[in-house]
Amino acid sequence: GGNGQGISYNDLSQGIAGDFREEESVDAADSGNVGAIVSFISAGEWLEFTVEVQQAGYYDFAFRFASGNNAGGGPFHLESDGKVISPNITVNYTGDWDNWQTRTVANIPLKSGQQILRVFFHAGEFNMGRMTFTYDRALDFPQPVADAGSNILVTLPATAKTMDASASF
């Protein structure tokens, strides 16, 4: 349910569990001084964000989480434009579903420019709050460049054009 289901998030539970973005069927809530959170996370769910990265590099990824499950929660991973960019990340038991901690994962490579950042949950049992990316250092490999030549207007099915990607690297 909701306008963003299958587009900007995938929520596998029925209805909403929370008081934030109630017009959507994503399980989101306002958790007091923590702010907006995603709760009742389950295996196979995901969130997507359109982000603009000013400088390619390795980033430290810090996120807020709470888990009332004695075994903790996760794992989850990060993707950029469909490519996995992080290891599987787990969280520990925090004592309650509203007892928040921060975890930081280093060396997340991000390319520059606009991209779709996806958080994919292999398992749940935790709530997730604010996510922050902090630049650490430059990438130790060059970013690929796709260059198919100048812009071409194609009217289907009347025209056909050939593109030359020889300037790509």
Side-chain angles (χ1 to χ4, degrees), residues 21 33 97 129:
R21 297 190 109 174
N33 63 356
W97 297 103

Side-chain angles (χ1 to χ4, degrees), residues 24-45:
E24 294 288 334
S25 184
V26 66
D27 297 329
D30 185 354
S31 184
N33 63 356
V34 176
I37 66 162
V38 176
S39 57
F40 296 93
I41 296 170
S42 297
E45 294 184 340

Side-chain angles (χ1 to χ4, degrees), residues 2-51:
N3 295 327
Q5 176 70 13
I7 300 169
S8 60
Y9 64 85
N10 184 39
D11 183 4
L12 298 175
S13 62
Q14 296 290 323
I16 62 168
D19 58 2
F20 185 77
R21 297 190 109 174
E22 293 181 62
E23 70 281 1
E24 294 288 334
S25 184
V26 66
D27 297 329
D30 185 354
S31 184
N33 63 356
V34 176
I37 66 162
V38 176
S39 57
F40 296 93
I41 296 170
S42 297
E45 294 184 340
W46 48 263
L47 306 167
E48 280 190 348
F49 305 89
T50 301
V51 297

Side-chain angles (χ1 to χ4, degrees), residues 20 35 51 105 128 140 144 156 163:
F20 185 77
V51 297
V105 178
M128 180 176 252
D140 51 6
L156 297 176
M163 300 173 78

Side-chain angles (χ1 to χ4, degrees), residues 96-117:
D96 195 321
W97 297 103
D98 203 31
N99 187 16
W100 293 88
Q101 294 182 6
T102 301
R103 176 157 181 217
T104 301
V105 178
N107 299 319
I108 304 298
L110 291 173
K111 62 186 178 182
S112 63
Q114 189 176 44
Q115 55 207 279
I116 303 297
L117 181 70

Side-chain angles (χ1 to χ4, degrees), residues 40-99:
F40 296 93
I41 296 170
S42 297
E45 294 184 340
W46 48 263
L47 306 167
E48 280 190 348
F49 305 89
T50 301
V51 297
E52 179 77 32
V53 177
Q54 297 300 314
Q55 183 175 3
Y58 289 103
Y59 284 76
D60 292 335
F61 166 59
F63 63 97
R64 301 281 288 158
F65 69 95
S67 177
N69 182 338
N70 287 330
F76 70 94
H77 71 259
L78 303 175
E79 300 175 7
S80 173
D81 290 340
K83 304 277 188 213
V84 175
I85 59 169
S86 77
N88 283 340
I89 302 166
T90 58
V91 301
N92 59 299
Y93 171 64
T94 63
D96 195 321
W97 297 103
D98 203 31
N99 187 16

